[in-house]
Protein backbone atom coordinates (compact mmCIF):
# COMPACT_ATOMS: atom_id res chain seq x y z
CA UNK A 1 0.00 0.00 0.00
CA UNK A 2 1.34 3.42 -0.95
CA UNK A 3 2.32 5.93 1.68
CA UNK A 4 -0.50 8.17 0.54
CA UNK A 5 -3.03 5.40 1.09
CA UNK A 6 -1.58 4.65 4.51
CA UNK A 7 -1.92 8.33 5.42
CA UNK A 8 -5.53 8.44 4.27
CA UNK A 9 -6.36 5.26 6.18
CA UNK A 10 -4.67 6.58 9.30
CA UNK A 11 -6.56 9.86 9.03
CA UNK A 12 -9.89 8.04 8.65
CA UNK A 13 -9.18 5.76 11.66
CA UNK A 14 -7.98 8.70 13.71
CA UNK A 15 -11.28 10.46 13.05
CA UNK A 16 -13.11 7.25 13.97
CA UNK A 17 -11.11 7.14 17.18
CA UNK A 18 -12.39 10.56 18.20
CA UNK A 19 -15.45 8.86 19.72
CA UNK A 20 -13.10 7.17 22.18
CA UNK A 21 -11.62 10.51 23.18
CA UNK A 22 -14.84 11.49 24.94
CA UNK A 23 -15.37 10.89 28.65
CA UNK A 24 -16.16 7.24 29.39
CA UNK A 25 -19.40 6.10 30.99
CA UNK A 26 -20.18 2.96 32.96
CA UNK A 27 -22.78 0.47 31.73
CA UNK A 28 -26.36 0.93 32.88
CA UNK A 29 -27.40 -2.09 34.93
CA UNK A 30 -30.94 -2.34 36.28
CA UNK A 31 -31.18 -3.09 39.99
CA UNK A 32 -34.18 -3.69 42.27
CA UNK A 33 -35.58 -0.90 44.42
CA UNK A 34 -35.12 -3.05 47.51
CA UNK A 35 -33.75 -6.44 48.47
CA UNK A 36 -36.34 -9.22 48.44
CA UNK A 37 -35.06 -10.79 51.66
CA UNK A 38 -34.79 -7.50 53.60
CA UNK A 39 -37.91 -7.31 55.72
CA UNK A 40 -39.29 -4.39 57.70
CA UNK A 41 -37.24 -5.15 60.82
CA UNK A 42 -34.00 -4.32 58.96
CA UNK A 43 -33.38 -0.63 59.57
CA UNK A 44 -31.75 1.31 56.73
CA UNK A 45 -28.63 2.98 58.09
CA UNK A 46 -27.11 6.18 56.75
CA UNK A 47 -23.38 6.70 56.17
CA UNK A 48 -22.61 3.01 56.65
CA UNK A 49 -19.02 3.34 55.34
CA UNK A 50 -18.27 5.72 58.23
CA UNK A 51 -20.05 3.66 60.89
CA UNK A 52 -17.83 1.77 63.33
CA UNK A 53 -20.53 -0.88 63.75
CA UNK A 54 -18.35 -3.24 65.79
CA UNK A 55 -18.27 -0.72 68.63
CA UNK A 56 -21.96 -1.46 69.28
CA UNK A 57 -20.88 -4.70 70.99
CA UNK A 58 -19.08 -2.68 73.69
CA UNK A 59 -16.14 -5.08 73.63
CA UNK A 60 -12.87 -3.15 74.18
CA UNK A 61 -10.79 -6.11 73.00
CA UNK A 62 -12.61 -6.31 69.66
CA UNK A 63 -12.20 -2.55 69.19
CA UNK A 64 -8.46 -2.73 69.85
CA UNK A 65 -8.01 -5.69 67.51
CA UNK A 66 -9.68 -3.83 64.64
CA UNK A 67 -7.67 -0.67 65.35
CA UNK A 68 -4.47 -2.69 65.28
CA UNK A 69 -5.52 -4.51 62.11
CA UNK A 70 -6.25 -1.27 60.27
CA UNK A 71 -2.81 -0.04 61.30
CA UNK A 72 -0.64 -3.13 60.80
CA UNK A 73 -2.29 -5.55 58.34
CA UNK A 74 0.11 -6.43 55.51
CA UNK A 75 -2.58 -6.76 52.84
CA UNK A 76 -3.47 -3.17 53.63
CA UNK A 77 0.19 -2.14 53.42
CA UNK A 78 0.46 -3.85 50.03
CA UNK A 79 -2.61 -2.02 48.73
CA UNK A 80 -1.21 1.29 49.98
CA UNK A 81 2.08 0.57 48.21
CA UNK A 82 0.19 -0.21 45.00
CA UNK A 83 -1.63 3.11 45.38
CA UNK A 84 1.69 4.89 45.76
CA UNK A 85 2.94 3.19 42.60
CA UNK A 86 -0.16 4.28 40.68
CA UNK A 87 0.30 7.85 41.91
CA UNK A 88 3.91 7.76 40.72
CA UNK A 89 2.81 6.56 37.28
CA UNK A 90 0.32 9.43 37.08
CA UNK A 91 3.05 11.86 38.03
CA UNK A 92 5.25 10.37 35.32
CA UNK A 93 2.59 11.05 32.67
CA UNK A 94 2.00 14.57 33.98
CA UNK A 95 5.72 15.36 33.75
CA UNK A 96 5.76 14.28 30.10
CA UNK A 97 4.32 17.71 29.26
CA UNK A 98 7.64 19.30 30.27
CA UNK A 99 10.35 19.50 27.56
CA UNK A 100 13.61 17.68 28.23
CA UNK A 101 17.00 19.30 27.75
CA UNK A 102 20.25 17.76 26.50
CA UNK A 103 23.51 19.52 27.33
CA UNK A 104 26.42 19.34 24.83
CA UNK A 105 30.05 20.39 24.74
CA UNK A 106 32.90 19.34 22.39
CA UNK A 107 33.98 19.49 18.78
CA UNK A 108 31.99 18.77 15.61
CA UNK A 109 32.68 19.25 11.88
CA UNK A 110 29.34 17.65 10.95
CA UNK A 111 27.85 19.68 8.07
CA UNK A 112 24.39 19.05 9.53
CA UNK A 113 25.40 21.27 12.42
CA UNK A 114 27.03 23.88 10.20
CA UNK A 115 30.66 22.75 10.74
CA UNK A 116 30.66 24.59 14.03
CA UNK A 117 34.01 23.31 15.39
CA UNK A 118 34.39 23.65 19.12
CA UNK A 119 31.00 24.24 20.71
CA UNK A 120 28.83 24.10 23.79
CA UNK A 121 25.11 24.46 24.22
CA UNK A 122 21.75 23.25 25.44
CA UNK A 123 19.21 21.53 23.23
CA UNK A 124 15.64 21.70 24.60
CA UNK A 125 13.50 19.15 22.82
CA UNK A 126 9.78 18.71 22.94
CA UNK A 127 8.06 15.79 21.24
CA UNK A 128 4.47 15.18 22.18
CA UNK A 129 1.36 13.51 20.85
CA UNK A 130 -1.19 15.73 22.58
CA UNK A 131 -4.21 13.46 22.04
CA UNK A 132 -2.32 10.41 23.28
CA UNK A 133 -0.79 12.07 26.34
CA UNK A 134 -4.15 13.48 27.40
CA UNK A 135 -5.71 10.01 27.40
CA UNK A 136 -2.64 8.45 29.05
CA UNK A 137 -3.04 10.98 31.86
CA UNK A 138 -6.74 10.19 32.10
CA UNK A 139 -6.03 6.46 32.23
CA UNK A 140 -3.43 6.99 34.95
CA UNK A 141 -5.94 8.99 37.01
CA UNK A 142 -8.47 6.16 36.77
CA UNK A 143 -5.78 3.72 37.85
CA UNK A 144 -5.10 5.85 40.93
CA UNK A 145 -8.82 5.93 41.73
CA UNK A 146 -9.06 2.17 41.26
CA UNK A 147 -6.17 1.58 43.67
CA UNK A 148 -7.72 3.94 46.21
CA UNK A 149 -10.92 1.90 46.03
CA UNK A 150 -8.78 -1.23 46.46
CA UNK A 151 -7.38 0.22 49.71
CA UNK A 152 -10.96 0.78 50.90
CA UNK A 153 -11.86 -2.75 49.89
CA UNK A 154 -8.97 -4.21 51.88
CA UNK A 155 -9.98 -2.16 54.91
CA UNK A 156 -13.51 -3.51 54.60
CA UNK A 157 -12.19 -7.08 54.35
CA UNK A 158 -9.83 -6.70 57.31
CA UNK A 159 -12.64 -5.39 59.53
CA UNK A 160 -14.85 -8.35 58.56
CA UNK A 161 -12.09 -10.94 58.99
CA UNK A 162 -11.05 -9.68 62.42
CA UNK A 163 -14.65 -9.42 63.64
CA UNK A 164 -15.55 -12.92 62.42
CA UNK A 165 -12.27 -14.30 63.77
CA UNK A 166 -12.80 -12.75 67.18
CA UNK A 167 -16.39 -13.97 67.52
CA UNK A 168 -15.25 -17.42 66.43
CA UNK A 169 -12.49 -17.38 69.05
CA UNK A 170 -14.69 -16.44 72.00
CA UNK A 171 -17.41 -18.86 70.79
CA UNK A 172 -14.86 -21.68 70.75
CA UNK A 173 -13.70 -20.72 74.22
CA UNK A 174 -17.31 -20.87 75.37
CA UNK A 175 -17.64 -24.21 73.58
CA UNK A 176 -14.63 -25.54 75.49
CA UNK A 177 -16.14 -24.40 78.80
CA UNK A 178 -19.44 -26.12 77.99
CA UNK A 179 -17.64 -29.31 76.90
CA UNK A 180 -15.73 -29.39 80.18
CA UNK A 181 -19.01 -29.07 82.09
CA UNK A 182 -20.46 -31.91 80.05
CA UNK A 183 -17.34 -33.98 80.63
CA UNK A 184 -17.55 -33.41 84.40
CA UNK A 185 -21.18 -34.54 84.44
CA UNK A 186 -20.29 -37.60 82.35
CA UNK A 187 -17.47 -38.45 84.74
CA UNK A 188 -19.90 -38.19 87.64
CA UNK A 189 -22.37 -40.47 85.87
CA UNK A 190 -19.65 -43.00 85.06
CA UNK A 191 -18.57 -42.98 88.69
CA UNK A 192 -22.12 -43.67 89.88
CA UNK A 193 -22.60 -46.41 87.30
CA UNK A 194 -19.41 -48.16 88.41
CA UNK A 195 -20.66 -48.13 91.98
CA UNK A 196 -23.97 -49.63 90.87
CA UNK A 197 -22.11 -52.34 88.94
CA UNK A 198 -20.10 -53.21 92.04
CA UNK A 199 -23.29 -53.83 94.03
CA UNK A 200 -24.96 -55.68 91.14
CA UNK A 201 -27.55 -53.09 90.15
CA UNK A 202 -26.13 -52.52 86.66
CA UNK A 203 -24.08 -54.50 84.14
CA UNK A 204 -21.03 -53.59 82.07
CA UNK A 205 -23.08 -53.05 78.89
CA UNK A 206 -24.41 -49.74 80.16
CA UNK A 207 -20.94 -48.72 81.32
CA UNK A 208 -19.35 -49.45 77.93
CA UNK A 209 -21.87 -47.29 76.11
CA UNK A 210 -21.42 -44.46 78.59
CA UNK A 211 -17.62 -44.56 78.42
CA UNK A 212 -17.79 -44.51 74.61
CA UNK A 213 -19.79 -41.28 74.80
CA UNK A 214 -17.24 -39.95 77.27
CA UNK A 215 -14.39 -40.61 74.82
CA UNK A 216 -16.29 -38.73 72.10
CA UNK A 217 -16.62 -35.75 74.44
CA UNK A 218 -12.89 -35.83 75.15
CA UNK A 219 -12.22 -35.89 71.42
CA UNK A 220 -14.40 -32.80 71.01
CA UNK A 221 -12.45 -31.08 73.79
CA UNK A 222 -9.17 -31.78 71.98
CA UNK A 223 -10.57 -30.36 68.72
CA UNK A 224 -11.93 -27.30 70.51
CA UNK A 225 -8.52 -26.59 72.04
CA UNK A 226 -6.91 -26.92 68.62
CA UNK A 227 -9.51 -24.62 67.05
CA UNK A 228 -8.82 -21.99 69.68
CA UNK A 229 -5.14 -22.03 68.73
CA UNK A 230 -6.05 -21.74 65.03
CA UNK A 231 -8.31 -18.76 65.72
CA UNK A 232 -5.69 -17.01 67.81
CA UNK A 233 -3.00 -17.52 65.18
CA UNK A 234 -5.34 -16.36 62.41
CA UNK A 235 -6.08 -13.14 64.28
CA UNK A 236 -2.41 -12.51 64.98
CA UNK A 237 -1.64 -13.10 61.30
CA UNK A 238 -4.19 -10.42 60.38
CA UNK A 239 -2.39 -8.09 62.82
CA UNK A 240 1.02 -8.88 61.27
CA UNK A 241 2.17 -10.70 64.43
CA UNK A 242 3.74 -14.06 65.15
CA UNK A 243 1.61 -16.96 66.45
CA UNK A 244 0.64 -16.67 70.08
CA UNK A 245 -2.14 -16.17 72.58
CA UNK A 246 -4.84 -13.54 72.34
CA UNK A 247 -6.54 -12.85 75.63
CA UNK A 248 -10.23 -12.24 75.15
CA UNK A 249 -13.08 -11.15 77.35
CA UNK A 250 -14.81 -14.58 77.23
CA UNK A 251 -18.19 -12.81 77.01
CA UNK A 252 -19.71 -14.59 74.02
CA UNK A 253 -22.67 -15.82 76.06
CA UNK A 254 -23.53 -12.22 77.00
CA UNK A 255 -23.44 -10.76 73.49
CA UNK A 256 -26.86 -10.11 71.94
CA UNK A 257 -26.81 -10.42 68.14
CA UNK A 258 -30.60 -10.27 67.83
CA UNK A 259 -30.77 -6.48 68.12
CA UNK A 260 -28.41 -5.84 65.18
CA UNK A 261 -30.56 -5.50 62.07
CA UNK A 262 -28.63 -3.28 59.62
CA UNK A 263 -30.22 -2.58 56.25
CA UNK A 264 -29.72 -0.46 53.16
CA UNK A 265 -31.22 0.02 49.72
CA UNK A 266 -29.59 -1.56 46.66
CA UNK A 267 -28.67 1.77 45.09
CA UNK A 268 -26.94 2.91 48.28
CA UNK A 269 -25.10 -0.38 48.66
CA UNK A 270 -23.84 -0.23 45.08
CA UNK A 271 -22.72 3.34 45.59
CA UNK A 272 -20.78 2.44 48.75
CA UNK A 273 -19.14 -0.81 47.68
CA UNK A 274 -15.37 -0.45 46.98
CA UNK A 275 -15.34 -3.44 44.61
CA UNK A 276 -17.94 -1.78 42.38
CA UNK A 277 -15.91 1.43 42.37
CA UNK A 278 -12.89 -0.62 41.33
CA UNK A 279 -14.89 -2.19 38.51
CA UNK A 280 -16.15 1.24 37.44
CA UNK A 281 -12.67 2.75 37.28
CA UNK A 282 -11.39 -0.36 35.49
CA UNK A 283 -13.99 0.24 32.76
CA UNK A 284 -13.00 3.89 32.46
CA UNK A 285 -9.30 3.02 32.43
CA UNK A 286 -9.84 0.44 29.69
CA UNK A 287 -11.87 3.00 27.71
CA UNK A 288 -8.97 5.44 27.98
CA UNK A 289 -6.64 2.62 26.90
CA UNK A 290 -8.51 2.35 23.59
CA UNK A 291 -8.12 6.11 23.12
CA UNK A 292 -4.40 5.85 23.85
CA UNK A 293 -4.07 3.21 21.14
CA UNK A 294 -5.99 5.41 18.68
CA UNK A 295 -3.73 8.29 19.71
CA UNK A 296 -0.85 6.61 17.89
CA UNK A 297 -2.62 7.54 14.65
CA UNK A 298 -2.52 11.24 15.51
CA UNK A 299 0.53 13.35 14.62
CA UNK A 300 3.15 14.34 17.17
CA UNK A 301 4.42 17.87 17.61
CA UNK A 302 8.20 18.27 17.42
CA UNK A 303 9.85 21.44 18.78
CA UNK A 304 13.65 21.79 19.03
CA UNK A 305 15.92 24.72 19.81
CA UNK A 306 19.71 24.63 20.11
CA UNK A 307 21.04 27.35 22.37
CA UNK A 308 24.82 27.70 22.45
CA UNK A 309 27.97 28.92 20.75
CA UNK A 310 30.72 27.53 18.53
CA UNK A 311 34.11 28.49 17.10
CA UNK A 312 32.70 28.11 13.52
CA UNK A 313 34.26 26.79 10.31
CA UNK A 314 35.44 23.64 12.04
CA UNK A 315 38.18 25.44 14.00
CA UNK A 316 39.44 24.61 17.44
CA UNK A 317 39.11 27.86 19.29
CA UNK A 318 37.02 29.73 21.75
CA UNK A 319 33.32 29.07 21.02
CA UNK A 320 32.23 32.70 20.88
CA UNK A 321 29.96 32.64 17.87
CA UNK A 322 26.29 32.22 18.70
CA UNK A 323 24.91 29.20 16.83
CA UNK A 324 21.13 29.05 17.16
CA UNK A 325 18.88 26.43 15.61
CA UNK A 326 15.13 25.89 15.74
CA UNK A 327 12.84 23.12 14.50
CA UNK A 328 9.05 23.07 14.53
CA UNK A 329 7.21 20.39 12.59
CA UNK A 330 4.55 17.70 12.75
CA UNK A 331 5.65 14.07 12.94
CA UNK A 332 3.04 11.60 11.72
CA UNK A 333 4.38 8.08 11.93
CA UNK A 334 2.44 5.09 10.66
CA UNK A 335 2.91 1.71 12.33
CA UNK A 336 0.65 -1.15 11.14
CA UNK A 337 0.91 -2.83 14.56
CA UNK A 338 -1.14 0.05 15.98
CA UNK A 339 -4.26 -1.42 14.41
CA UNK A 340 -3.72 -4.68 16.31
CA UNK A 341 -3.16 -2.73 19.50
CA UNK A 342 -6.46 -0.91 18.97
CA UNK A 343 -8.33 -4.19 18.62
CA UNK A 344 -6.62 -5.60 21.69
CA UNK A 345 -7.58 -2.56 23.78
CA UNK A 346 -11.18 -2.77 22.57
CA UNK A 347 -11.30 -6.40 23.69
CA UNK A 348 -9.86 -5.44 27.09
CA UNK A 349 -12.47 -2.70 27.42
CA UNK A 350 -15.34 -5.06 26.60
CA UNK A 351 -14.06 -7.55 29.17
CA UNK A 352 -14.09 -4.83 31.84
CA UNK A 353 -17.66 -3.90 30.87
CA UNK A 354 -18.80 -7.48 31.42
CA UNK A 355 -16.82 -7.66 34.66
CA UNK A 356 -18.56 -4.52 35.88
CA UNK A 357 -22.00 -6.01 35.16
CA UNK A 358 -20.93 -9.24 36.84
CA UNK A 359 -19.79 -7.30 39.93
CA UNK A 360 -23.18 -5.55 40.19
CA UNK A 361 -25.02 -8.86 39.97
CA UNK A 362 -22.73 -10.47 42.54
CA UNK A 363 -23.18 -7.64 45.04
CA UNK A 364 -26.97 -7.81 44.74
CA UNK A 365 -26.88 -11.59 45.11
CA UNK A 366 -24.56 -11.59 48.11
CA UNK A 367 -26.47 -8.92 50.04
CA UNK A 368 -29.84 -10.57 49.41
CA UNK A 369 -28.35 -13.88 50.57
CA UNK A 370 -26.98 -12.14 53.66
CA UNK A 371 -30.42 -10.87 54.63
CA UNK A 372 -31.88 -14.35 54.22
CA UNK A 373 -29.03 -16.00 56.15
CA UNK A 374 -29.28 -13.52 59.01
CA UNK A 375 -33.04 -13.98 59.28
CA UNK A 376 -32.91 -17.77 59.13
CA UNK A 377 -29.94 -18.25 61.46
CA UNK A 378 -31.38 -15.71 63.90
CA UNK A 379 -34.61 -17.69 63.94
CA UNK A 380 -32.66 -20.91 64.37
CA UNK A 381 -30.77 -19.47 67.33
CA UNK A 382 -33.92 -18.14 68.97
CA UNK A 383 -35.71 -21.48 68.60
CA UNK A 384 -32.71 -23.38 69.91
CA UNK A 385 -32.34 -20.97 72.82
CA UNK A 386 -36.03 -21.33 73.62
CA UNK A 387 -35.67 -25.12 73.56
CA UNK A 388 -32.82 -24.81 76.07
CA UNK A 389 -34.92 -22.48 78.26
CA UNK A 390 -37.78 -25.00 78.26
CA UNK A 391 -35.45 -27.86 79.09
CA UNK A 392 -33.82 -25.77 81.84
CA UNK A 393 -37.27 -25.18 83.41
CA UNK A 394 -37.94 -28.90 83.21
CA UNK A 395 -34.59 -29.64 84.84
CA UNK A 396 -35.39 -27.22 87.66
CA UNK A 397 -38.62 -29.09 88.33
CA UNK A 398 -36.71 -32.37 88.22
CA UNK A 399 -34.34 -31.03 90.86
CA UNK A 400 -37.39 -30.59 93.08
CA UNK A 401 -38.43 -34.17 92.37
CA UNK A 402 -34.96 -35.38 93.29
CA UNK A 403 -34.99 -33.44 96.55
CA UNK A 404 -38.30 -35.03 97.50
CA UNK A 405 -36.99 -38.49 96.66
CA UNK A 406 -39.25 -39.09 93.66
CA UNK A 407 -36.36 -39.05 91.15
CA UNK A 408 -32.97 -40.71 91.52
CA UNK A 409 -29.73 -38.79 91.25
CA UNK A 410 -28.75 -40.90 88.24
CA UNK A 411 -31.89 -39.82 86.38
CA UNK A 412 -31.31 -36.19 87.37
CA UNK A 413 -27.74 -36.34 86.14
CA UNK A 414 -28.88 -37.85 82.84
CA UNK A 415 -31.26 -34.91 82.37
CA UNK A 416 -28.44 -32.50 83.24
CA UNK A 417 -26.31 -34.07 80.49
CA UNK A 418 -29.15 -33.49 78.00
CA UNK A 419 -29.16 -29.84 79.05
CA UNK A 420 -25.39 -29.67 78.61
CA UNK A 421 -25.62 -31.07 75.07
CA UNK A 422 -28.33 -28.61 74.12
CA UNK A 423 -26.20 -25.73 75.46
CA UNK A 424 -23.49 -26.76 72.99
CA UNK A 425 -26.03 -26.60 70.17
CA UNK A 426 -27.17 -23.16 71.32
CA UNK A 427 -23.59 -21.89 71.37
CA UNK A 428 -22.99 -23.11 67.82
CA UNK A 429 -26.25 -21.57 66.60
CA UNK A 430 -25.28 -18.26 68.17
CA UNK A 431 -21.90 -18.29 66.38
CA UNK A 432 -23.65 -18.90 63.07
CA UNK A 433 -25.91 -15.94 63.79
CA UNK A 434 -22.90 -13.76 64.70
CA UNK A 435 -21.16 -14.58 61.42
CA UNK A 436 -24.28 -13.57 59.47
CA UNK A 437 -24.25 -10.19 61.22
CA UNK A 438 -20.60 -9.67 60.27
CA UNK A 439 -21.25 -10.71 56.66
CA UNK A 440 -24.24 -8.40 56.43
CA UNK A 441 -22.31 -5.38 57.66
CA UNK A 442 -19.40 -6.24 55.39
CA UNK A 443 -21.49 -6.66 52.25
CA UNK A 444 -23.39 -3.46 53.07
CA UNK A 445 -19.95 -1.78 53.02
CA UNK A 446 -19.98 -0.81 56.68
CA UNK A 447 -17.08 0.86 58.43
CA UNK A 448 -14.27 0.96 55.87
CA UNK A 449 -14.05 4.78 55.92
CA UNK A 450 -13.85 4.82 59.71
CA UNK A 451 -10.78 6.64 61.00
CA UNK A 452 -9.65 6.81 64.61
CA UNK A 453 -8.05 10.08 65.58
CA UNK A 454 -5.65 8.92 68.26
CA UNK A 455 -2.85 6.43 67.66
CA UNK A 456 -3.27 2.72 68.34
CA UNK A 457 -1.13 0.42 70.45
CA UNK A 458 -0.33 -3.27 70.53
CA UNK A 459 -3.23 -5.57 71.45
CA UNK A 460 -1.50 -8.85 72.13
CA UNK A 461 -1.72 -8.66 75.91
Amino acid sequence: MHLRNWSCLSAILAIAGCSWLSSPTTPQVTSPKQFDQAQANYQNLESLPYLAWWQQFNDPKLNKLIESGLKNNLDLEISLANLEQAQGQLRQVQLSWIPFINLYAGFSSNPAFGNIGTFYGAWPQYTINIAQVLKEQERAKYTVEMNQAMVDGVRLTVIGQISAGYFTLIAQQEQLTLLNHLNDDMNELVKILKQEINIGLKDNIDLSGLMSKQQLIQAQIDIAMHNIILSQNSLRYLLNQNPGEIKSTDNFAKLDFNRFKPGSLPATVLQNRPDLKMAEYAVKSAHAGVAVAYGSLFPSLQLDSFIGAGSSNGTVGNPINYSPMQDAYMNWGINPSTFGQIEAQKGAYQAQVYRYIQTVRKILKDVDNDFSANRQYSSNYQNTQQAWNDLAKQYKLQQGLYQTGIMSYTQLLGNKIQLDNLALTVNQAKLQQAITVVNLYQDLAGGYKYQKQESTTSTTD
Side-chain angles (χ1 to χ4, degrees), residues 23-41:
S23 298
T25 57
T26 51
Q28 295 296 321
V29 185
T30 57
S31 62
K33 294 182 179 181
Q34 62 183 15
F35 292 101
D36 290 340
Q37 300 302 319
Q39 298 179 347
N41 57 343

Side-chain angles (χ1 to χ4, degrees), residues 68-89:
S68 181
L70 293 177
K71 180 180 178 182
N72 301 313
N73 182 266
L74 286 183
D75 285 333
L76 188 54
E77 293 294 336
I78 292 171
S79 65
L80 288 170
N82 289 335
L83 174 60
E84 183 179 356
Q85 179 186 8
Q87 291 170 335
Q89 291 171 342

Side-chain angles (χ1 to χ4, degrees), residues 80-94 140 143-145 147-148:
L80 288 170
N82 289 335
L83 174 60
E84 183 179 356
Q85 179 186 8
Q87 291 170 335
Q89 291 171 342
L90 172 60
R91 187 62 175 164
Q92 179 182 352
V93 176
Q94 291 171 333
T143 302
V144 170
E145 296 290 348
N147 278 273
Q148 180 60 66

Side-chain angles (χ1 to χ4, degrees), residues 266-287:
T268 305
V269 175
L270 293 174
Q271 179 183 356
N272 291 337
R273 283 283 292 254
D275 51 346
L276 187 62
K277 294 180 182 179
M278 290 172 57
E280 176 184 350
Y281 290 124
V283 170
K284 293 181 177 181
S285 177
H287 187 280

Side-chain angles (χ1 to χ4, degrees), residues 57 167 252 255-260 378 430 433-434 437:
F57 294 100
F167 291 142
F252 186 70
L255 294 179
D256 182 10
F257 297 97
N258 287 319
R259 62 189 182 93
F260 297 103
S378 295
K430 188 173 185 177
Q433 181 194 29
V437 172

Side-chain angles (χ1 to χ4, degrees), residues 28 66 82 96 139 163 186 208 244 250 303 338 345 372 392 424 442 445:
Q28 295 296 321
I66 291 179
N82 289 335
S96 66
R139 179 169 61 174
S163 300
M186 288 294 294
S208 297
D250 296 335
L303 300 175
T338 300
Q345 291 299 323
S372 176
L424 291 168
Q442 183 173 3

